[in-house]
Amino acid sequence: MENNMASVTSKELESCFQRGNHTLKVPMSLFRNNRERLAARIRTNAKVPHAGTFVILEGGVEIPFNDTDINWPFRQESFFQWSFGVEEPGCYGAIDVATGSSILFVPRLPEEYGIWQGKLLSLEDFKKRYAVNEVRYTDEIAAVLKSKQVTLLLTLRGQNSDSGLETKEAVFDGIDQFNVDNHTLYPEICECRVIKTPQEIEVLEYVIKLSSDAHKSVMQMVKPGTAEFQAESAFLHYVYSVGGCRHASYQCICGSGQNSSILHYGHAGAPNNKIINDGDMCLFDMGGNYCGYAADITCSFPVNGKFTEDQKMIYNAVLAARDAVMNQAKPGVAWTDMHLLANKTMLTSLKEGGLLTGDVDKMIESGLHAVFQPHGLGHFMGLDVHDVGGYLPGHPERPTAPGLKKLRTSRILKPGMVLTIEPGCYFIDCLLDAALNDPNQSKFIVAEKLKKFRGQGGVRIEDDVLVTETGVKNLTDVPRTVEEIEKWMAAKKN
Protein backbone atom coordinates (compact mmCIF):
# COMPACT_ATOMS: atom_id res chain seq x y z
CA MET A 1 0.00 0.00 0.00
CA GLU A 2 1.28 3.47 -0.84
CA ASN A 3 2.27 5.82 1.96
CA ASN A 4 1.25 9.40 2.54
CA MET A 5 1.71 12.06 5.24
CA ALA A 6 4.17 12.08 8.12
CA SER A 7 3.81 9.27 10.60
CA VAL A 8 3.12 9.49 14.30
CA THR A 9 3.48 6.98 17.11
CA SER A 10 1.08 4.08 17.43
CA LYS A 11 -0.50 5.74 20.48
CA GLU A 12 -1.18 8.90 18.50
CA LEU A 13 -2.87 6.78 15.84
CA GLU A 14 -5.68 6.08 18.25
CA SER A 15 -8.99 7.51 17.08
CA CYS A 16 -8.75 10.61 19.23
CA PHE A 17 -7.19 14.05 19.55
CA GLN A 18 -4.98 14.67 22.59
CA ARG A 19 -1.98 16.82 23.50
CA GLY A 20 -0.09 15.02 26.23
CA ASN A 21 -1.45 12.60 28.80
CA HIS A 22 -2.72 15.42 31.02
CA THR A 23 -5.03 17.02 28.44
CA LEU A 24 -8.53 16.15 27.29
CA LYS A 25 -8.86 13.14 24.99
CA VAL A 26 -11.33 14.00 22.23
CA PRO A 27 -12.72 10.90 20.49
CA MET A 28 -13.09 10.94 16.74
CA SER A 29 -16.66 9.77 17.31
CA LEU A 30 -17.42 13.46 17.97
CA PHE A 31 -16.84 14.19 14.29
CA ARG A 32 -18.53 10.99 13.12
CA ASN A 33 -21.61 12.04 15.06
CA ASN A 34 -21.44 15.47 13.44
CA ARG A 35 -21.36 13.86 9.99
CA GLU A 36 -24.31 11.65 10.84
CA ARG A 37 -26.25 14.62 12.21
CA LEU A 38 -25.63 16.54 9.01
CA ALA A 39 -26.69 13.65 6.81
CA ALA A 40 -29.85 13.10 8.88
CA ARG A 41 -30.73 16.79 8.65
CA ILE A 42 -30.28 16.86 4.89
CA ARG A 43 -32.48 13.78 4.56
CA THR A 44 -35.36 15.84 6.00
CA ASN A 45 -35.04 18.22 3.04
CA ALA A 46 -37.66 17.03 0.57
CA LYS A 47 -35.86 18.74 -2.32
CA VAL A 48 -32.74 16.58 -1.94
CA PRO A 49 -32.78 12.94 -3.10
CA HIS A 50 -31.28 10.50 -0.61
CA ALA A 51 -29.73 7.91 -2.90
CA GLY A 52 -26.69 9.07 -4.83
CA THR A 53 -26.31 12.40 -2.99
CA PHE A 54 -22.98 13.13 -1.33
CA VAL A 55 -21.64 16.12 0.59
CA ILE A 56 -18.15 17.08 -0.58
CA LEU A 57 -15.97 19.37 1.55
CA GLU A 58 -12.50 20.74 0.89
CA GLY A 59 -10.17 21.14 3.84
CA GLY A 60 -7.70 23.95 4.43
CA VAL A 61 -4.35 24.28 2.67
CA GLU A 62 -1.03 25.55 3.89
CA ILE A 63 -0.51 29.25 3.12
CA PRO A 64 3.00 30.51 2.31
CA PHE A 65 4.36 33.49 4.20
CA ASN A 66 4.49 36.01 1.38
CA ASP A 67 6.85 34.63 -1.31
CA THR A 68 9.01 32.56 1.03
CA ASP A 69 9.31 28.80 1.47
CA ILE A 70 7.84 28.83 4.99
CA ASN A 71 4.14 28.76 5.83
CA TRP A 72 1.78 30.38 8.29
CA PRO A 73 0.90 27.99 11.14
CA PHE A 74 -1.79 25.73 9.73
CA ARG A 75 -5.31 25.72 11.16
CA GLN A 76 -7.93 23.48 9.63
CA GLU A 77 -10.89 25.01 7.79
CA SER A 78 -13.71 25.11 10.33
CA PHE A 79 -16.45 23.26 8.42
CA PHE A 80 -13.96 20.52 7.58
CA GLN A 81 -12.78 20.37 11.18
CA TRP A 82 -16.39 20.06 12.38
CA SER A 83 -17.00 17.22 9.96
CA PHE A 84 -13.74 15.26 10.06
CA GLY A 85 -11.38 16.55 12.80
CA VAL A 86 -8.42 16.10 10.44
CA GLU A 87 -5.19 17.90 11.33
CA GLU A 88 -3.40 17.64 7.98
CA PRO A 89 -3.79 20.17 5.14
CA GLY A 90 -4.84 19.49 1.58
CA CYS A 91 -7.58 16.94 2.30
CA TYR A 92 -11.14 16.46 1.08
CA GLY A 93 -14.03 14.65 2.69
CA ALA A 94 -17.23 13.09 1.34
CA ILE A 95 -20.37 12.09 3.23
CA ASP A 96 -23.05 9.79 1.85
CA VAL A 97 -26.35 11.51 2.67
CA ALA A 98 -28.28 8.24 2.58
CA THR A 99 -26.08 6.43 5.13
CA GLY A 100 -23.84 9.00 6.80
CA SER A 101 -20.76 6.96 5.81
CA SER A 102 -17.59 8.89 5.05
CA ILE A 103 -14.63 8.97 2.71
CA LEU A 104 -11.47 10.92 3.57
CA PHE A 105 -9.28 11.91 0.64
CA VAL A 106 -5.63 12.69 1.44
CA PRO A 107 -2.84 14.01 -0.81
CA ARG A 108 -0.56 11.48 -2.49
CA LEU A 109 2.87 12.73 -1.44
CA PRO A 110 6.26 11.72 -2.88
CA GLU A 111 8.36 9.40 -0.75
CA GLU A 112 11.01 12.13 -0.39
CA TYR A 113 8.60 14.02 1.89
CA GLY A 114 9.56 11.46 4.49
CA ILE A 115 12.98 13.12 4.72
CA TRP A 116 11.41 16.27 6.09
CA GLN A 117 8.23 15.01 7.73
CA GLY A 118 9.07 11.52 8.90
CA LYS A 119 7.74 8.19 7.68
CA LEU A 120 4.54 8.76 5.71
CA LEU A 121 1.20 7.44 6.89
CA SER A 122 -0.58 4.73 4.95
CA LEU A 123 -4.24 4.92 4.01
CA GLU A 124 -4.99 2.40 6.74
CA ASP A 125 -3.17 4.63 9.24
CA PHE A 126 -5.45 7.52 8.29
CA LYS A 127 -8.52 5.34 8.52
CA LYS A 128 -7.59 4.27 12.05
CA ARG A 129 -6.60 7.74 13.16
CA TYR A 130 -9.75 9.54 12.01
CA ALA A 131 -12.30 6.70 12.31
CA VAL A 132 -13.71 7.17 8.80
CA ASN A 133 -15.24 4.46 6.65
CA GLU A 134 -12.78 4.76 3.79
CA VAL A 135 -9.60 6.64 2.85
CA ARG A 136 -8.45 7.34 -0.73
CA TYR A 137 -6.14 9.81 -2.45
CA THR A 138 -7.23 13.25 -3.62
CA ASP A 139 -6.27 12.45 -7.21
CA GLU A 140 -8.93 9.72 -7.15
CA ILE A 141 -11.91 11.81 -6.02
CA ALA A 142 -13.82 11.81 -9.29
CA ALA A 143 -13.20 8.10 -9.95
CA VAL A 144 -14.21 7.09 -6.44
CA LEU A 145 -17.40 9.14 -6.50
CA LYS A 146 -18.36 7.72 -9.91
CA SER A 147 -17.83 4.22 -8.53
CA LYS A 148 -20.27 5.11 -5.73
CA GLN A 149 -22.83 6.07 -8.40
CA VAL A 150 -23.05 9.64 -7.14
CA THR A 151 -25.72 11.65 -8.93
CA LEU A 152 -25.62 14.89 -6.90
CA LEU A 153 -22.87 16.68 -5.00
CA LEU A 154 -23.68 19.19 -2.27
CA THR A 155 -20.89 21.75 -2.05
CA LEU A 156 -20.39 24.48 0.53
CA ARG A 157 -21.09 28.02 -0.61
CA GLY A 158 -22.30 30.82 1.64
CA GLN A 159 -21.43 34.18 3.11
CA ASN A 160 -20.25 34.55 6.69
CA SER A 161 -22.52 37.15 8.33
CA ASP A 162 -19.68 38.50 10.51
CA SER A 163 -16.88 38.88 7.98
CA GLY A 164 -18.89 39.13 4.77
CA LEU A 165 -16.47 36.62 3.22
CA GLU A 166 -17.49 33.58 1.19
CA THR A 167 -16.75 30.01 2.22
CA LYS A 168 -14.29 27.97 0.19
CA GLU A 169 -16.34 25.80 -2.14
CA ALA A 170 -14.87 22.38 -2.96
CA VAL A 171 -13.33 22.08 -6.40
CA PHE A 172 -11.48 19.04 -7.76
CA ASP A 173 -10.44 17.61 -11.12
CA GLY A 174 -13.51 16.01 -12.67
CA ILE A 175 -16.17 17.83 -10.65
CA ASP A 176 -17.74 18.92 -13.93
CA GLN A 177 -18.83 15.30 -14.43
CA PHE A 178 -21.36 15.64 -11.59
CA ASN A 179 -24.50 17.61 -10.90
CA VAL A 180 -23.60 20.17 -8.23
CA ASP A 181 -25.91 21.95 -5.76
CA ASN A 182 -24.10 24.77 -3.93
CA HIS A 183 -27.15 26.31 -2.22
CA THR A 184 -28.51 23.59 0.06
CA LEU A 185 -25.52 22.67 2.23
CA TYR A 186 -24.50 25.98 3.82
CA PRO A 187 -27.64 26.73 5.89
CA GLU A 188 -28.02 23.06 6.85
CA ILE A 189 -24.47 22.59 8.16
CA CYS A 190 -24.53 26.00 9.87
CA GLU A 191 -27.72 25.06 11.68
CA CYS A 192 -26.05 21.86 12.86
CA ARG A 193 -23.09 23.86 14.18
CA VAL A 194 -25.38 26.22 16.13
CA ILE A 195 -26.59 23.41 18.41
CA LYS A 196 -23.73 21.68 20.19
CA THR A 197 -23.67 17.97 21.00
CA PRO A 198 -22.70 16.70 24.48
CA GLN A 199 -19.29 15.73 23.08
CA GLU A 200 -18.72 19.21 21.69
CA ILE A 201 -19.84 20.76 24.97
CA GLU A 202 -17.25 18.65 26.81
CA VAL A 203 -14.48 20.10 24.63
CA LEU A 204 -15.81 23.62 25.08
CA GLU A 205 -16.01 23.16 28.85
CA TYR A 206 -12.38 22.02 28.83
CA VAL A 207 -10.97 24.90 26.79
CA ILE A 208 -13.08 27.50 28.62
CA LYS A 209 -11.99 26.23 32.05
CA LEU A 210 -8.38 26.15 30.87
CA SER A 211 -8.66 29.71 29.54
CA SER A 212 -10.30 30.80 32.79
CA ASP A 213 -7.36 29.43 34.77
CA ALA A 214 -4.94 31.15 32.40
CA HIS A 215 -6.71 34.49 32.97
CA LYS A 216 -6.50 33.97 36.73
CA SER A 217 -2.79 33.25 36.45
CA VAL A 218 -2.24 36.42 34.41
CA MET A 219 -4.21 38.50 36.93
CA GLN A 220 -1.77 37.46 39.65
CA MET A 221 1.25 37.97 37.40
CA VAL A 222 0.73 41.53 36.19
CA LYS A 223 1.76 44.55 38.22
CA PRO A 224 2.57 48.19 37.48
CA GLY A 225 5.50 48.25 35.08
CA THR A 226 4.45 45.06 33.28
CA ALA A 227 4.17 45.36 29.51
CA GLU A 228 0.86 44.40 27.93
CA PHE A 229 2.60 41.89 25.67
CA GLN A 230 4.00 40.13 28.73
CA ALA A 231 0.43 39.42 29.83
CA GLU A 232 -0.32 38.08 26.34
CA SER A 233 2.78 35.90 26.46
CA ALA A 234 1.90 34.53 29.90
CA PHE A 235 -1.59 33.60 28.75
CA LEU A 236 -0.40 31.85 25.60
CA HIS A 237 2.26 29.96 27.53
CA TYR A 238 -0.28 28.78 30.09
CA VAL A 239 -2.91 27.47 27.67
CA TYR A 240 -0.25 25.70 25.59
CA SER A 241 1.99 24.26 28.30
CA VAL A 242 -0.80 23.35 30.71
CA GLY A 243 -3.67 22.59 28.36
CA GLY A 244 -2.19 21.70 24.97
CA CYS A 245 -3.58 24.68 23.05
CA ARG A 246 -1.15 25.30 20.23
CA HIS A 247 -3.39 28.10 18.98
CA ALA A 248 -5.34 30.96 20.46
CA SER A 249 -8.82 31.53 19.07
CA TYR A 250 -7.98 35.12 18.08
CA GLN A 251 -5.28 37.75 18.57
CA CYS A 252 -5.04 38.51 22.28
CA ILE A 253 -6.42 41.90 23.37
CA CYS A 254 -4.40 43.18 26.34
CA GLY A 255 -5.45 46.80 26.71
CA SER A 256 -4.59 48.98 29.68
CA GLY A 257 -5.53 52.54 30.51
CA GLN A 258 -6.97 54.28 27.46
CA ASN A 259 -6.17 51.21 25.35
CA SER A 260 -8.90 49.31 27.16
CA SER A 261 -11.45 51.38 25.24
CA ILE A 262 -10.13 50.11 21.89
CA LEU A 263 -12.43 47.22 21.08
CA HIS A 264 -9.97 45.21 18.98
CA TYR A 265 -6.71 46.45 20.46
CA GLY A 266 -3.62 44.30 19.95
CA HIS A 267 -3.58 44.68 16.17
CA ALA A 268 -0.41 45.10 14.11
CA GLY A 269 -0.23 48.85 14.65
CA ALA A 270 -0.66 48.57 18.43
CA PRO A 271 0.63 45.09 19.35
CA ASN A 272 -0.05 45.14 23.10
CA ASN A 273 3.10 47.22 23.56
CA LYS A 274 2.18 49.74 26.27
CA ILE A 275 3.67 49.60 29.78
CA ILE A 276 0.86 49.18 32.33
CA ASN A 277 0.91 52.03 34.85
CA ASP A 278 -0.18 52.07 38.47
CA GLY A 279 -3.87 53.01 38.53
CA ASP A 280 -4.60 51.60 35.06
CA MET A 281 -7.55 49.34 34.43
CA CYS A 282 -6.66 46.27 32.39
CA LEU A 283 -9.05 44.78 29.86
CA PHE A 284 -7.70 41.38 28.79
CA ASP A 285 -9.73 39.53 26.15
CA MET A 286 -8.09 36.14 25.43
CA GLY A 287 -9.12 32.57 24.66
CA GLY A 288 -7.37 29.30 23.95
CA ASN A 289 -8.30 26.89 21.18
CA TYR A 290 -8.30 23.11 21.62
CA CYS A 291 -9.10 20.61 18.87
CA GLY A 292 -10.46 23.57 16.91
CA TYR A 293 -12.91 24.65 19.63
CA ALA A 294 -12.73 28.19 20.99
CA ALA A 295 -12.88 30.01 24.28
CA ASP A 296 -13.46 33.78 24.51
CA ILE A 297 -13.13 35.42 27.93
CA THR A 298 -12.61 39.03 28.99
CA CYS A 299 -11.46 40.08 32.45
CA SER A 300 -11.30 43.73 33.54
CA PHE A 301 -9.41 44.66 36.70
CA PRO A 302 -7.09 47.30 38.16
CA VAL A 303 -3.43 46.41 37.71
CA ASN A 304 -2.66 47.32 41.32
CA GLY A 305 -5.43 45.09 42.60
CA LYS A 306 -7.56 47.84 44.16
CA PHE A 307 -10.50 49.57 42.50
CA THR A 308 -10.94 53.32 42.86
CA GLU A 309 -14.49 54.49 43.53
CA ASP A 310 -14.87 55.62 39.92
CA GLN A 311 -13.52 52.34 38.58
CA LYS A 312 -15.81 50.46 40.92
CA MET A 313 -18.86 52.41 39.72
CA ILE A 314 -18.22 51.62 36.05
CA TYR A 315 -17.28 48.00 36.74
CA ASN A 316 -20.39 47.37 38.82
CA ALA A 317 -22.57 48.92 36.11
CA VAL A 318 -21.23 46.39 33.61
CA LEU A 319 -21.48 43.55 36.13
CA ALA A 320 -25.12 44.43 36.82
CA ALA A 321 -25.80 44.23 33.08
CA ARG A 322 -24.15 40.81 32.88
CA ASP A 323 -26.07 39.55 35.90
CA ALA A 324 -29.38 40.74 34.47
CA VAL A 325 -28.81 38.74 31.28
CA MET A 326 -27.60 35.68 33.20
CA ASN A 327 -30.84 35.72 35.18
CA GLN A 328 -33.17 36.20 32.20
CA ALA A 329 -31.59 34.29 29.31
CA LYS A 330 -33.29 30.97 28.58
CA PRO A 331 -34.87 29.06 25.69
CA GLY A 332 -37.52 31.09 23.89
CA VAL A 333 -35.95 34.46 24.71
CA ALA A 334 -34.86 36.77 21.89
CA TRP A 335 -31.18 37.77 21.94
CA THR A 336 -32.18 41.31 20.94
CA ASP A 337 -34.21 41.59 24.15
CA MET A 338 -31.18 40.46 26.17
CA HIS A 339 -29.04 43.13 24.53
CA LEU A 340 -31.55 45.85 25.40
CA LEU A 341 -31.89 44.49 28.94
CA ALA A 342 -28.12 44.70 29.41
CA ASN A 343 -27.97 48.24 28.02
CA LYS A 344 -30.91 49.46 30.09
CA THR A 345 -29.45 47.95 33.25
CA MET A 346 -26.06 49.55 32.61
CA LEU A 347 -27.50 52.99 31.84
CA THR A 348 -29.58 52.81 35.00
CA SER A 349 -26.42 52.14 37.02
CA LEU A 350 -24.56 54.99 35.30
CA LYS A 351 -27.47 57.26 36.16
CA GLU A 352 -27.33 56.16 39.80
CA GLY A 353 -23.59 56.90 39.72
CA GLY A 354 -24.24 60.47 38.61
CA LEU A 355 -22.80 60.17 35.11
CA LEU A 356 -26.19 60.33 33.38
CA THR A 357 -29.52 62.01 34.10
CA GLY A 358 -33.05 61.65 32.79
CA ASP A 359 -35.30 58.86 31.61
CA VAL A 360 -33.42 55.67 30.73
CA ASP A 361 -35.95 54.53 28.11
CA LYS A 362 -35.56 57.86 26.34
CA MET A 363 -31.77 57.46 26.48
CA ILE A 364 -32.15 54.21 24.55
CA GLU A 365 -34.53 55.87 22.08
CA SER A 366 -31.82 58.46 21.41
CA GLY A 367 -29.19 55.75 20.81
CA LEU A 368 -27.12 56.72 23.84
CA HIS A 369 -26.61 53.09 24.80
CA ALA A 370 -24.57 52.60 21.62
CA VAL A 371 -22.25 55.44 22.67
CA PHE A 372 -21.13 53.60 25.79
CA GLN A 373 -21.40 50.08 24.33
CA PRO A 374 -20.91 50.24 20.56
CA HIS A 375 -20.84 46.45 20.12
CA GLY A 376 -23.40 43.67 20.49
CA LEU A 377 -24.08 41.73 23.67
CA GLY A 378 -22.35 38.61 22.44
CA HIS A 379 -22.09 35.97 19.74
CA PHE A 380 -22.25 32.28 19.01
CA MET A 381 -19.08 30.38 19.83
CA GLY A 382 -17.82 26.96 18.84
CA LEU A 383 -15.24 26.08 16.21
CA ASP A 384 -14.95 29.78 15.39
CA VAL A 385 -14.83 32.38 18.10
CA HIS A 386 -17.58 34.21 16.21
CA ASP A 387 -19.35 31.03 15.20
CA VAL A 388 -21.62 30.62 12.19
CA GLY A 389 -25.41 30.70 12.23
CA GLY A 390 -26.03 34.24 13.36
CA TYR A 391 -28.24 35.16 10.42
CA LEU A 392 -29.68 32.24 8.48
CA PRO A 393 -32.87 31.89 6.40
CA GLY A 394 -35.94 31.39 8.57
CA HIS A 395 -34.51 33.32 11.53
CA PRO A 396 -34.66 37.02 12.52
CA GLU A 397 -32.74 39.33 10.24
CA ARG A 398 -30.14 41.84 11.40
CA PRO A 399 -31.81 44.80 13.17
CA THR A 400 -31.16 48.36 12.02
CA ALA A 401 -31.64 50.29 15.30
CA PRO A 402 -28.64 51.89 17.07
CA GLY A 403 -26.75 49.29 19.10
CA LEU A 404 -28.84 46.42 17.81
CA LYS A 405 -27.39 46.64 14.30
CA LYS A 406 -24.04 45.50 15.69
CA LEU A 407 -25.49 42.26 17.05
CA ARG A 408 -23.91 39.16 15.54
CA THR A 409 -27.22 37.32 15.90
CA SER A 410 -30.84 38.14 16.68
CA ARG A 411 -31.98 34.58 17.14
CA ILE A 412 -34.33 33.07 19.68
CA LEU A 413 -32.33 31.07 22.24
CA LYS A 414 -32.44 27.27 22.11
CA PRO A 415 -30.90 24.58 24.35
CA GLY A 416 -27.47 23.56 23.13
CA MET A 417 -26.43 27.01 21.91
CA VAL A 418 -23.14 28.37 23.25
CA LEU A 419 -22.79 32.15 23.32
CA THR A 420 -20.78 34.88 24.95
CA ILE A 421 -22.39 37.41 27.27
CA GLU A 422 -20.13 40.45 27.11
CA PRO A 423 -21.58 43.83 28.08
CA GLY A 424 -19.13 46.71 28.20
CA CYS A 425 -18.81 50.38 29.03
CA TYR A 426 -16.18 52.42 27.21
CA PHE A 427 -15.08 56.03 27.08
CA ILE A 428 -14.23 56.46 23.40
CA ASP A 429 -13.45 60.07 22.57
CA CYS A 430 -14.92 60.16 19.05
CA LEU A 431 -18.23 58.69 20.24
CA LEU A 432 -18.39 60.91 23.32
CA ASP A 433 -17.64 64.03 21.29
CA ALA A 434 -20.39 63.18 18.83
CA ALA A 435 -22.86 62.54 21.68
CA LEU A 436 -22.03 65.83 23.37
CA ASN A 437 -22.71 67.60 20.07
CA ASP A 438 -26.03 65.82 19.61
CA PRO A 439 -28.82 67.61 21.50
CA ASN A 440 -30.86 64.40 21.67
CA GLN A 441 -28.07 62.63 23.53
CA SER A 442 -26.12 65.37 25.30
CA LYS A 443 -29.11 66.28 27.52
CA PHE A 444 -28.67 62.95 29.32
CA ILE A 445 -24.93 63.33 29.96
CA VAL A 446 -23.55 65.08 33.03
CA ALA A 447 -20.65 66.72 31.21
CA GLU A 448 -18.62 67.69 34.27
CA LYS A 449 -18.83 64.15 35.63
CA LEU A 450 -17.87 62.71 32.27
CA LYS A 451 -14.57 64.62 32.29
CA LYS A 452 -13.34 62.42 35.15
CA PHE A 453 -13.65 59.30 32.99
CA ARG A 454 -12.01 60.58 29.84
CA GLY A 455 -8.83 58.60 29.20
CA GLN A 456 -9.66 55.83 31.65
CA GLY A 457 -10.52 53.36 28.90
CA GLY A 458 -13.29 50.87 29.47
CA VAL A 459 -14.61 47.74 31.11
CA ARG A 460 -15.86 44.55 29.50
CA ILE A 461 -17.01 41.40 31.28
CA GLU A 462 -17.24 38.42 28.94
CA ASP A 463 -18.45 34.98 29.92
CA ASP A 464 -19.03 31.88 27.77
CA VAL A 465 -22.42 30.29 28.49
CA LEU A 466 -24.38 27.22 27.47
CA VAL A 467 -28.12 27.53 26.96
CA THR A 468 -29.81 24.76 28.95
CA GLU A 469 -33.45 23.65 29.13
CA THR A 470 -34.16 26.16 31.91
CA GLY A 471 -31.63 28.98 31.57
CA VAL A 472 -27.92 29.36 30.96
CA LYS A 473 -24.91 27.66 32.51
CA ASN A 474 -21.83 29.84 32.89
CA LEU A 475 -18.82 27.83 31.73
CA THR A 476 -16.37 30.60 32.69
CA ASP A 477 -14.71 30.43 36.10
CA VAL A 478 -12.91 33.64 37.04
CA PRO A 479 -13.28 36.23 39.83
CA ARG A 480 -16.09 38.58 38.85
CA THR A 481 -17.22 40.79 41.72
CA VAL A 482 -15.06 43.66 42.92
CA GLU A 483 -14.49 41.81 46.19
CA GLU A 484 -13.53 38.56 44.43
CA ILE A 485 -11.06 40.35 42.16
CA GLU A 486 -9.41 42.29 44.96
CA LYS A 487 -9.11 39.14 47.09
CA TRP A 488 -7.66 37.12 44.23
CA MET A 489 -5.11 39.76 43.31
CA ALA A 490 -4.12 40.32 46.93
CA ALA A 491 -3.00 36.70 46.99
CA LYS A 492 -0.56 37.21 44.10
CA LYS A 493 2.95 35.89 44.57
CA ASN A 494 5.62 38.50 45.16
Side-chain angles (χ1 to χ4, degrees):
M1 178 173 289
E2 293 185 81
N3 290 331
N4 198 24
M5 296 184 180
S7 69
V8 290
T9 67
S10 59
K11 183 176 182 180
E12 289 171 324
L13 284 173
E14 294 178 7
S15 298
C16 67
F17 173 97
Q18 190 174 27
R19 291 291 181 260
N21 294 331
H22 64 293
T23 67
L24 179 69
K25 182 179 287 188
V26 182
M28 286 295 128
S29 60
L30 181 156
F31 305 103
R32 182 192 66 220
N33 291 341
N34 284 346
R35 295 192 295 269
E36 292 175 350
R37 275 203 299 150
L38 175 61
R41 182 177 180 85
I42 294 173
R43 287 197 297 270
T44 67
N45 189 327
K47 297 180 180 179
V48 179
H50 298 179
T53 299
F54 275 59
V55 169
I56 183 76
L57 296 168
E58 183 176 353
V61 297
E62 289 193 300
I63 301 174
F65 179 75
N66 299 328
D67 62 345
T68 72
D69 60 349
I70 62 171
N71 297 316
W72 289 101
F74 177 71
R75 288 179 63 174
Q76 187 59 268
E77 194 277 331
S78 295
F79 287 100
F80 197 77
Q81 177 70 17
W82 182 88
S83 303
F84 287 92
V86 171
E87 296 187 64
E88 290 83 359
C91 298
Y92 287 73
I95 305 167
D96 186 342
V97 169
T99 66
S101 64
S102 56
I103 310 170
L104 175 64
F105 296 95
V106 298
R108 191 192 302 267
L109 299 179
E111 288 292 338
E112 66 180 280
Y113 271 57
I115 300 171
W116 310 103
Q117 298 184 7
K119 184 180 178 181
L120 304 182
L121 295 182
S122 69
L123 298 185
E124 283 300 316
D125 289 334
F126 277 106
K127 183 177 178 181
K128 178 180 179 181
R129 185 177 185 183
Y130 293 118
V132 291
N133 297 97
E134 189 176 348
V135 179
R136 303 293 289 269
Y137 289 114
T138 53
D139 57 18
E140 302 175 306
I141 296 176
V144 170
L145 294 179
K146 288 179 76 173
S147 73
K148 304 290 183 183
Q149 298 182 324
V150 172
T151 56
L152 178 65
L153 289 178
L154 304 181
T155 58
L156 188 68
R157 184 179 181 183
Q159 185 181 62
N160 185 291
S161 58
D162 290 310
S163 68
L165 301 177
E166 296 282 337
T167 58
K168 181 180 181 181
E169 185 177 2
V171 177
F172 58 87
D173 288 340
I175 193 172
D176 56 346
Q177 302 173 42
F178 302 91
N179 292 323
V180 175
D181 173 349
N182 61 9
H183 299 291
T184 298
L185 180 58
Y186 185 78
E188 302 288 15
I189 195 170
C190 286
E191 197 64 42
C192 286
R193 284 179 58 179
V194 166
I195 305 299
K196 273 57 178 181
T197 66
Q199 288 177 303
E200 290 182 291
I201 291 167
E202 183 181 10
V203 183
L204 286 164
E205 287 176 329
Y206 171 81
V207 72
I208 293 166
K209 180 60 167 66
L210 172 67
S211 298
S212 297
D213 291 342
H215 269 280
K216 290 166 69 175
S217 177
V218 170
M219 289 173 71
Q220 291 193 337
M221 180 276 289
V222 297
K223 59 185 179 181
T226 301
E228 294 167 338
F229 69 81
Q230 290 178 297
E232 175 183 16
S233 175
F235 179 89
L236 295 175
H237 175 71
Y238 189 103
V239 295
Y240 197 2
S241 65
V242 175
C245 292
R246 190 176 194 185
H247 302 291
S249 293
Y250 50 95
Q251 188 75 49
C252 292
I253 299 170
C254 294
S256 64
Q258 180 64 27
N259 292 340
S260 61
S261 67
I262 302 172
L263 300 186
H264 285 171
Y265 181 70
H267 55 79
N272 295 321
N273 58 348
K274 173 182 170 295
I275 302 300
I276 308 172
N277 298 315
D278 191 17
D280 278 351
M281 281 290 291
C282 298
L283 188 157
F284 291 171
D285 185 340
M286 304 179 286
N289 189 287
Y290 189 79
C291 195
Y293 285 85
D296 185 5
I297 299 169
T298 305
C299 293
S300 298
F301 57 91
V303 67
N304 59 19
K306 193 70 177 176
F307 285 84
T308 67
E309 290 304 309
D310 286 339
Q311 290 171 344
K312 188 182 300 184
M313 191 269 284
I314 300 301
Y315 186 89
N316 281 335
V318 178
L319 184 63
R322 186 213 69 158
D323 290 346
V325 176
M326 286 284 187
N327 292 331
Q328 294 296 319
K330 60 183 179 181
V333 168
W335 194 239
T336 48
D337 290 343
M338 293 298 92
H339 178 89
L340 291 172
L341 171 64
N343 283 179
K344 186 172 182 177
T345 302
M346 186 176 73
L347 293 179
T348 299
S349 296
L350 296 181
K351 177 181 174 180
E352 292 170 353
L355 184 58
L356 302 177
T357 186
D359 184 270
V360 172
D361 289 330
K362 288 189 165 86
M363 293 181 199
I364 290 179
E365 289 177 14
S366 75
L368 188 66
H369 55 311
V371 172
F372 291 98
Q373 186 190 309
H375 60 76
L377 175 63
H379 49 79
F380 286 135
M381 195 180 73
L383 280 169
D384 293 313
V385 67
H386 297 155
D387 216 12
V388 295
Y391 295 101
L392 290 175
H395 296 287
E397 297 181 355
R398 187 184 297 274
T400 57
L404 293 176
K405 64 183 179 181
K406 298 295 185 180
L407 281 172
R408 297 184 186 274
T409 187
S410 298
R411 289 181 60 148
I412 307 301
L413 297 183
K414 292 182 178 180
M417 291 178 171
V418 174
L419 305 98
T420 64
I421 295 175
E422 50 178 304
C425 180
Y426 314 89
F427 297 92
I428 303 171
D429 283 336
C430 61
L431 295 181
L432 295 174
D433 291 340
L436 290 171
N437 288 322
D438 182 341
N440 292 322
Q441 295 180 342
S442 61
K443 63 185 178 183
F444 300 113
I445 301 174
V446 181
E448 285 301 311
K449 183 80 169 181
L450 178 64
K451 290 179 182 178
K452 296 179 61 179
F453 295 91
R454 291 270 196 165
Q456 290 196 23
V459 167
R460 180 162 64 252
I461 298 173
E462 181 177 18
D463 289 322
D464 304 333
V465 305
L466 167 68
V467 182
T468 68
E469 296 291 340
T470 57
V472 293
K473 177 184 178 183
N474 191 356
L475 305 181
T476 309
D477 182 18
V478 295
R480 279 306 189 205
T481 68
V482 166
E483 294 75 21
E484 289 170 346
I485 292 170
E486 291 184 344
K487 181 180 179 180
W488 179 254
M489 296 191 69
K492 69 173 66 178
K493 297 179 178 65
N494 294 323

